[in-house]
Amino acid sequence: MNFPKKRMRRLRKNKNLRNLVQKIRLNKNDVLYPIFVKEGIEEKKEIRSMKNQYHYPINGLDSIVSLCEDNDLQGVLLFGVPSNKDQKGSSAFDDNGIVQRAVRRIKEISNLAVFTDICLCQYTSHGHCGILDQNGVNNDKTLEILNKIAVSHAEAGADFVAPSGMMDGQVKSIRGALDEKGYQNTGIMAYSAKFSSNFYGPFRDAAECSPGGEKTNLSNRDTYQMDFKTEASQQPMEEIRLDLEQGADITMVKPALPYLDVIKEAKDRFNAPVAAYNVSGEYAMLKSAINEGLLSEKVIEESLISIKRAGADIIITYFAKELIKDGRI
Ligand code: PBG
């Protein structure tokens, strides 16, 4: 019999050999954990659409913050769920708003890097990521509000602000506002290549930010987020290029798993850290299949490794908690 000279199985013969040749490993330095802080609750409460994820009141944050810090995670990404919403999202730039207070508390009790989401959708009565006028979401009017939110988060002590609204020019505008107020050292992680995705459903439930509501016939975010039929090399790369040019320190692709080609292309083309957001729908799919016994928990590691293999430097994932709890990273 004519055996092949090259036998790939030699590399897989035992665990030690496999360990020696496996090069992509998840690491505690790779992940950023998203946390929801909510006004008007007394105790942490599980989010219906995202099992094992919680809404936290300010006075209920300490335990999750220590869990992250004691397990050597590097940082968290904060989302606020306010009690009051209006047409222009005023509660988003309130100095005593939910995110501003959460940042102060986390900074008081830990050394975690604090990133804050900068967007209007949780704070507007219509659930859109910007101010509405008769033509839809008004880009340039929205920028003024994003500036105020970013400055108030920086004032509270955020290390990085993360604009996610997909308004044109938002990075330049926020960079200018931060610099003007003396926050040159506050960084920007731009949600640059953000798709109008169907994988955000559980998050919208958690953050109470589904678009629609009163006085709007816009029931989705298609006029500002990218179409998922867009080619990787076109709009996503241009969005990233523009954001980096405008001063973004970290760029982001979102969602992650359905867009691994976009992550890879971004990593190959640009000399900047690339973050990938493993979003709520990606979490919920695996979580429910695991809970139903259809899939092994190992799918968590396998899917996060695929995001790393594609080139992500930072993975934003709700699974961070599972990973550290079970000592898997
Ligand atoms: C707000 C925002 C969204 C997510 C992060 N920031 C929702 C949206 O754009 O509708 C989604 C995150 C997730 O699904 O985990 N603009």
Side-chain angles (χ1 to χ4, degrees):
M1 242 198 278
N2 192 11
F3 281 110
K5 258 206 184 120
K6 182 134 196 174
R7 289 176 180 270
M8 294 304 287
R9 289 184 55 188
R10 288 178 198 128
L11 297 172
R12 303 169 197 151
K13 200 160 61 181
N14 60 43
K15 183 77 187 152
N16 292 40
L17 287 169
R18 290 196 296 274
N19 280 343
L20 278 169
V21 296
Q22 84 180 17
K23 285 298 167 231
I24 304 171
R25 295 184 175 92
L26 277 181
N27 185 305
K28 289 183 178 181
N29 298 337
D30 299 331
V31 296
L32 193 57
Y33 181 51
I35 292 183
F36 295 93
V37 280
K38 184 169 175 168
E39 242 165 18
I41 54 172
E42 296 298 322
E43 281 174 17
K44 73 169 188 176
K45 199 161 173 256
E46 191 173 47
I47 297 168
R48 194 189 55 88
S49 56
M50 298 172 73
K51 293 279 170 276
N52 202 29
Q53 304 301 319
Y54 292 82
H55 282 132
Y56 294 93
I58 300 292
N59 61 14
L61 270 173
D62 295 16
S63 57
I64 185 67
V65 168
S66 335
L67 182 80
C68 292
E69 185 152 76
D70 295 349
N71 285 286
D72 302 320
L73 287 190
Q74 305 303 321
V76 292
L77 171 62
L78 293 182
F79 291 97
V81 188
S83 301
N84 296 318
K85 298 173 187 253
D86 62 20
Q87 288 284 330
K88 61 181 173 91
S90 317
S91 52
F93 52 85
D94 180 344
D95 287 339
N96 248 334
I98 181 73
V99 169
Q100 291 81 351
R101 283 162 56 214
V103 173
R104 281 187 225 116
R105 181 67 191 156
I106 297 171
K107 281 294 179 188
E108 203 175 293
I109 59 171
S110 81
N111 290 316
L112 289 175
V114 177
F115 289 64
T116 56
D117 185 77
I118 303 285
C119 195
L120 282 183
C121 62
Q122 290 108 279
Y123 303 88
T124 49
S125 41
H126 44 72
H128 276 288
C129 303
I131 303 296
L132 291 185
D133 62 19
Q134 61 285 7
N135 299 317
V137 174
N138 184 310
N139 195 88
D140 299 8
K141 278 214 180 99
T142 302
L143 298 183
E144 294 163 28
I145 305 204
L146 297 181
N147 290 352
K148 286 193 202 176
I149 307 174
V151 167
S152 78
H153 288 185
E155 222 157 56
D159 296 288
F160 261 74
V161 294
S164 68
M166 289 297 278
M167 294 299 119
D168 287 327
Q170 61 184 8
V171 172
K172 179 170 186 222
S173 173
I174 288 172
R175 184 71 271 157
L178 290 173
D179 289 353
E180 197 186 302
K181 297 283 183 191
Y183 297 110
Q184 287 86 353
N185 294 326
T186 306
I188 299 181
M189 175 169 75
Y191 287 67
S192 311
K194 177 169 177 178
F195 290 84
S196 186
S197 171
N198 298 291
F199 286 95
Y200 304 148
F203 174 97
R204 289 184 187 168
D205 192 51
E208 299 167 6
C209 68
S210 290
E214 60 179 62
K215 284 190 193 151
T216 171
N217 50 9
L218 295 166
S219 61
N220 58 49
R221 307 202 197 287
D222 290 353
T223 66
Y224 41 104
Q225 299 179 350
M226 273 184 296
D227 193 311
F228 60 74
K229 297 183 273 324
T230 307
E231 278 179 76
S233 63
Q234 309 242 322
Q235 288 185 40
M237 293 309 115
E238 192 59 5
E239 289 278 4
I240 293 172
R241 190 185 68 74
L242 286 166
D243 281 355
L244 292 175
E245 198 176 272
Q246 290 174 27
D249 304 283
I250 301 174
T251 187
M252 192 201 296
V253 175
K254 175 186 173 192
L257 292 173
Y259 299 95
L260 295 176
D261 55 334
V262 179
I263 297 171
K264 167 106 176 74
E265 184 113 10
K267 187 62 185 170
D268 287 348
R269 279 205 206 192
F270 299 104
N271 191 14
V274 176
Y277 201 138
N278 180 226
V279 302
S280 58
E282 301 173 52
Y283 175 81
M285 278 193 301
L286 295 192
K287 198 74 187 162
S288 46
I290 292 166
N291 287 347
E292 285 193 33
L294 296 173
L295 291 174
S296 139
E297 289 231 306
K298 286 193 169 170
V299 292
I300 298 174
E301 197 182 352
E302 185 178 344
S303 54
L304 297 180
I305 286 274
S306 80
I307 298 170
K308 196 162 172 184
R309 184 194 302 117
D313 298 289
I314 300 169
I315 303 173
I316 302 164
T317 182
Y318 304 100
F319 282 122
K321 212 167 81 175
E322 269 87 351
L323 292 173
I324 54 180
K325 192 177 87 270
D326 301 341
R328 264 182 279 187
I329 53 172

